[in-house]
């Protein structure tokens, strides 16, 4: 897999940290490459339980990109657990799913993007939630 050149210097500062939660390692790596090339710091988790743990322990998270269907703990289960946890319930979540109907999470997420996600669309949504402040 080819690594994209990550931004460095002043253009990287202030971009924020994004957590990618997806059980597919290739998806996590591609999303990491795209986001790092755009100047973001990236953390990853392979399932909802690991994602929830990282949401609680990684300081300065700006956004979570969350897969819906995962083993151990699904994206919907993570959203339910997060909603009652102090400090992490306010972190915006963008749901990534190959499933067209994920209405169960409509009130819990900042946006929903279909898989496979288009890079331009992904970056537009990420910028809206990470760079607006």
């Amino acid at each position: 897999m080819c690594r994209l050149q990550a931004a460095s210097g002043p253009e990287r500062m202030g971009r924020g940290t994004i957590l990618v939660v997806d059980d597919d390692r290739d998806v996590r790596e591609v999303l990491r490459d795209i986001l790092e090339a755009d100047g973001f710091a990236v953390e990853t988790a392979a399932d909802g339980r690991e994602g929830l743990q990282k949401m609680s322990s990684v300081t300065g998270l700006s956004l979570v990109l969350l897969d819906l269907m995962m083993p151990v703990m699904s994206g919907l289960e993570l959203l339910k657990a997060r909603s009652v946890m102090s400090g992490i319930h306010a972190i915006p979540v963008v749901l990534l799913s190959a499933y067209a109907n994920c209405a169960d999470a409509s009130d819990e997420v900042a946006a929903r993007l279909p898989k496979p996600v288009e890079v331009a669309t992904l970056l537009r949504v990420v910028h809206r939630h990470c760079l607006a402040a």
Side-chain angles (χ1 to χ4, degrees):
M1 175 179 299
C2 128
R3 298 286 288 178
L4 299 171
Q5 179 67 31
S8 60
E11 65 273 7
R12 185 179 178 94
M13 294 173 59
R15 291 280 181 158
T17 301
I18 298 172
L19 173 62
V20 176
V21 184
D22 198 299
D23 61 318
D24 185 318
R25 188 182 74 180
D26 291 337
V27 170
R28 289 193 311 270
E29 289 178 5
V30 167
L31 290 174
R32 177 193 292 273
D33 287 348
I34 291 166
L35 295 166
E36 286 180 346
D38 201 48
F40 292 95
V42 179
E43 293 283 337
T44 63
D47 59 57
R49 185 179 299 153
E50 183 182 356
L52 192 61
Q53 184 274 326
K54 285 198 175 183
M55 287 178 75
S56 298
S57 64
V58 175
T59 58
L61 281 180
S62 302
L63 183 69
V64 177
L65 299 178
L66 178 64
D67 186 23
L68 182 63
M69 301 299 291
M70 295 179 290
V72 182
M73 177 186 274
S74 73
L76 291 177
E77 291 170 324
L78 182 149
L79 287 171
K80 286 180 187 176
R82 150 194 177 272
S83 69
V84 297
M85 295 182 72
S86 177
I88 67 169
H89 66 278
I91 301 168
V93 174
V94 173
L95 194 63
L96 303 174
S97 180
Y99 299 94
N101 185 6
C102 46
D104 291 343
S106 62
D107 294 336
E108 299 293 324
V109 297
R112 288 180 300 283
L113 297 175
K115 280 184 173 180
V117 64
E118 294 181 8
V119 173
T121 303
L122 172 71
L123 291 177
R124 189 170 40 254
V125 169
V126 166
H127 287 191
R128 179 175 37 213
H129 293 286
C130 294
L131 302 180

